[in-house]
Amino acid sequence: MATIVVDGHSLTPEAVAAVAAGEPAALSPTAAEQMLPACKWIEKLGAAADAAPAVYGINTGFGSLKSERFSISEARRVSRNLIVSHCAGVGHPLPPKIVRAAMLLRANALAQGYSGIRPRVIETILEMLNRGVIPIVPAQGSLGASGDLAPLSHIAIVLSRDPDRDTEEDSGEAWYQGVRMSGYQAMHKAGIERVVLEAKEGLALNNGVQIMTAIALLTLLRAEALLKAHDIALALHIEATCGVRTAFDPRIAKLRPHTGHATVANNLLALLQGSELADSDPQRVQDAYSIRCAPQIAGAARDGLAHVRCAIETEINSVTDNPLVFADAGEVLSGGNFHGDPIGLPVDYMKILLCELGNLSERRVSRLMDRHLNFGLTPYLARKPGVESGFMIASYTASALVAESKVLAHPASIDTIPTSENQEDIVSMGTHGARQAMQILENIERVVAIELLCAAQAVDLRKENVPHAMLGRGSQAAHEFLRKSIPVLTRDRVLAGDMEKAIELVRDGELLAAVSAAVPLE
């Protein structure tokens, strides 16, 4: 496996996803060097003892306790207390992939050298990744401003220890080799020494938005793949209903030159190349919006996701804690880089984009069910309508999923609840927005998978009437691949298993890989 190098500047979403999936990571020697000046500056501040000026979070309390001064000699205890007290998350644990991604992102943000944290702490985080120690992080409890304080603390409590003793008490929990245990046990079994945190290091570890960013990043990558799966589903639908390709003519896209529009249209023409079913109805002038306007609708979703990607690419190579140490100028500056809106707002946009994609796919599923709209196919694609119900309730499920997603799409970022005695008086709520985005993504993956199932069945029914008609190169590859795993519906059977298999093929990228081997998709 390739080792991902952490230097603070060069991470990509794909590299983060690779580490989330298990690839190793290492701190760049250059990054380790660039971290030292800020550490030395904090050491110098500590040497000044009570003569040192008040510097937030280094010799003062946190949040509204900023005016409470403490001796630098207490810094280790303060750093540890910060992590212990902030482990206040609730709810189900985040999936290990998200935790691994967040750990890498936090390490990368600290590696730029403005946080006053030692290279050893970053190296400990990376050792945990490489040896498979994954902290248990409750999903709920972050406001997405002042960082993801609670969830990041649940990571930091595993890697750090009490200044006076290394015991199982207050060590959090972690997965190690598939077993849930205390953080102390996991680190001991993995052979990783837990760290005593120095001045500011506790604050550096939990003051950032890496949880919401990790969720958003992994959601984005799956959403980008889902857009291609959507195009495949639409191509199968067009084959089944003898749809019209005119709307995908590149001359139309050139007159309204949004990038996503042209991409979707090009994909559909490539998938349908060689089809003898598309355009085979001489009476058809144009199709309904859910087919004819797909380049405009799914294309706009693509362009929106490009904006989300841009925000995430910037964020994953940013410094997001407070205060920041500018050692070359001998200054520590307090600011707000921990605030979640730069990710929280794009995440809310992504929720809307995914919902619209689901609307598009669900409408086409509904059309395939309707004998008045599916151009000569049976109601619900059943073999014996009335005796059998075919895909009737699969369509209901798609409708339920898009309805649920619309509720989740309410923008999290427009809400705020003041905290910390009104010192932190406007927060992003971006972390639960990111969690909602992932839930919507999973819903819409299921909707597109249901459309693929229904469209494949519809193609089989159509081919019974015109058995020698050729499908397009891409739609043929999709149909053949689906049929390797999911047989045609010849009579009513439990559809839940078929649906789960189709969802797996979409989610894991197997369908996309099979089709892309025949027709490369943009």
Side-chain angles (χ1 to χ4, degrees):
M1 292 187 289
T3 298
I4 303 302
V5 176
V6 174
D7 60 15
H9 302 283
S10 60
L11 270 189
T12 64
E14 289 72 20
V16 176
V19 172
E23 290 197 15
L27 182 64
S28 157
T30 303
E33 281 292 320
Q34 70 191 16
M35 294 173 70
L36 296 177
C39 296
K40 290 176 180 177
W41 192 93
I42 290 177
E43 288 175 7
K44 183 178 178 182
L45 185 76
D50 292 341
V55 181
Y56 176 79
I58 299 176
N59 55 15
T60 77
F62 309 101
S64 68
L65 299 176
K66 62 188 183 299
S67 59
E68 303 293 330
R69 184 78 179 263
F70 60 82
S71 169
I72 201 74
S73 63
E74 299 179 275
R76 286 183 167 186
R77 174 57 55 198
V78 170
S79 281
R80 179 61 179 169
N81 286 349
L82 177 70
I83 297 304
V84 171
S85 67
H86 284 43
C87 284
V90 297
H92 297 296
L94 289 169
K97 280 188 176 182
I98 290 173
V99 178
R100 286 182 60 88
M103 292 167 70
L104 179 71
L105 292 174
R106 194 76 206 113
N108 196 59
L110 299 172
Q112 285 200 33
Y114 293 94
S115 303
I117 193 168
R118 292 166 295 160
R120 182 191 168 194
V121 182
I122 308 308
E123 288 164 352
T124 302
I125 295 173
L126 300 181
E127 273 190 275
M128 292 167 68
L129 286 172
N130 296 343
R131 300 190 194 186
V133 177
I134 307 170
I136 303 293
V137 180
Q140 295 170 283
S142 176
L143 297 169
S146 291
D148 287 314
L149 292 171
L152 288 174
S153 295
H154 282 276
I155 295 174
I157 201 167
V158 174
L159 71 93
S160 64
R161 69 174 181 86
D162 189 277
D164 301 323
R165 61 196 183 282
D166 187 9
T167 67
E168 198 163 9
E169 182 182 3
D170 291 335
S171 68
E173 288 187 287
W175 293 105
Y176 180 64
Q177 294 185 345
V179 179
R180 185 171 180 167
M181 60 188 72
S182 71
Y184 171 87
Q185 288 179 315
M187 295 290 274
H188 178 73
K189 288 178 182 292
I192 305 172
E193 185 178 352
R194 298 170 74 211
V195 180
V196 174
L197 299 177
E198 300 288 352
K200 195 186 178 293
E201 289 185 335
L203 186 59
L205 286 170
N206 73 2
N207 197 213
V209 291
Q210 280 68 41
I211 297 293
M212 79 165 71
T213 305
I215 299 170
L217 184 153
L218 296 177
T219 302
L220 169 74
L221 294 177
R222 283 170 62 180
E224 289 175 339
L226 181 60
L227 281 164
K228 295 179 182 180
H230 160 272
D231 294 352
I232 295 167
L234 175 53
L236 279 176
H237 182 107
I238 291 168
E239 299 275 18
T241 58
C242 305
V244 180
R245 280 178 279 202
T246 306
F248 314 133
D249 192 302
R251 291 172 292 181
I252 295 175
K254 286 180 181 179
L255 296 181
R256 198 183 189 190
H258 294 286
T259 302
H261 175 165
T263 299
V264 174
N266 289 342
N267 280 350
L268 287 164
L269 290 175
L271 289 162
L272 293 167
Q273 184 180 1
S275 172
E276 295 174 354
L277 289 174
D279 303 312
S280 63
D281 181 353
Q283 304 302 315
R284 194 94 54 89
V285 176
Q286 60 184 20
D287 286 311
Y289 283 7
S290 58
I291 298 110
R292 176 165 40 113
C293 298
Q296 289 80 4
I297 300 168
R302 280 175 173 268
D303 291 340
L305 283 184
H307 169 71
V308 177
R309 174 177 271 270
C310 183
I312 288 173
E313 287 175 336
T314 298
E315 184 68 22
I316 64 178
N317 291 296
S318 298
V319 182
T320 57
D321 54 306
N322 176 64
L324 298 173
V325 182
F326 293 84
D328 55 347
E331 290 185 85
V332 176
L333 303 180
S334 285
N337 275 8
F338 51 73
H339 200 281
D341 267 3
I343 292 297
L345 289 167
V347 158
D348 279 339
Y349 187 21
M350 181 159 57
K351 287 158 54 177
I352 294 168
L353 303 174
L354 289 167
C355 278
E356 186 70 343
L357 192 72
N359 288 337
L360 191 59
S361 184
E362 186 277 335
R363 285 294 78 207
R364 293 195 300 264
V365 170
S366 178
R367 297 183 71 82
L368 287 175
M369 300 300 106
D370 191 336
R371 75 190 82 181
H372 304 102
L373 300 174
N374 64 17
F375 300 100
L377 302 178
T378 58
Y380 307 110
L381 308 178
R383 293 285 177 173
K384 298 178 180 178
V387 175
E388 298 173 352
S389 296
F391 285 86
M392 177 192 289
I393 305 305
S395 173
Y396 285 29
T397 300
S399 299
L401 288 165
V402 296
E404 178 184 307
S405 298
K406 291 169 190 175
V407 175
L408 293 170
H410 178 82
S413 55
I414 62 173
D415 187 23
T416 185
I417 297 176
T419 55
S420 193
E421 296 184 316
N422 270 292
Q423 171 72 4
E424 298 162 7
D425 58 351
I426 182 164
V427 297
S428 77
M429 303 296 184
T431 307
H432 69 254
R435 287 172 40 236
Q436 289 167 338
M438 181 157 277
Q439 181 61 63
I440 291 171
L441 169 76
E442 291 173 353
N443 287 348
I444 306 311
E445 284 176 337
R446 293 172 180 130
V447 174
V448 171
I450 290 169
E451 183 183 5
L452 284 161
L453 272 184
C454 294
Q457 177 77 5
V459 166
D460 287 314
L461 294 177
R462 181 69 63 192
K463 289 274 287 179
E464 289 180 2
N465 297 325
V466 281
H468 301 296
M470 297 289 293
L471 300 181
R473 287 174 55 208
S475 45
Q476 177 69 26
H479 187 266
E480 287 179 356
F481 184 77
L482 286 166
R483 285 292 169 250
K484 286 178 183 178
S485 301
I486 306 165
V488 64
L489 191 71
T490 57
R491 58 178 177 79
D492 277 355
R493 64 171 181 255
V494 175
L495 288 175
D498 292 355
M499 291 159 64
E500 282 303 320
K501 183 60 182 177
I503 292 162
E504 181 184 331
L505 296 176
V506 169
R507 183 180 58 237
D508 295 348
E510 294 180 52
L511 172 72
L512 180 57
V515 175
S516 296
V519 178
L521 298 177
E522 299 179 58

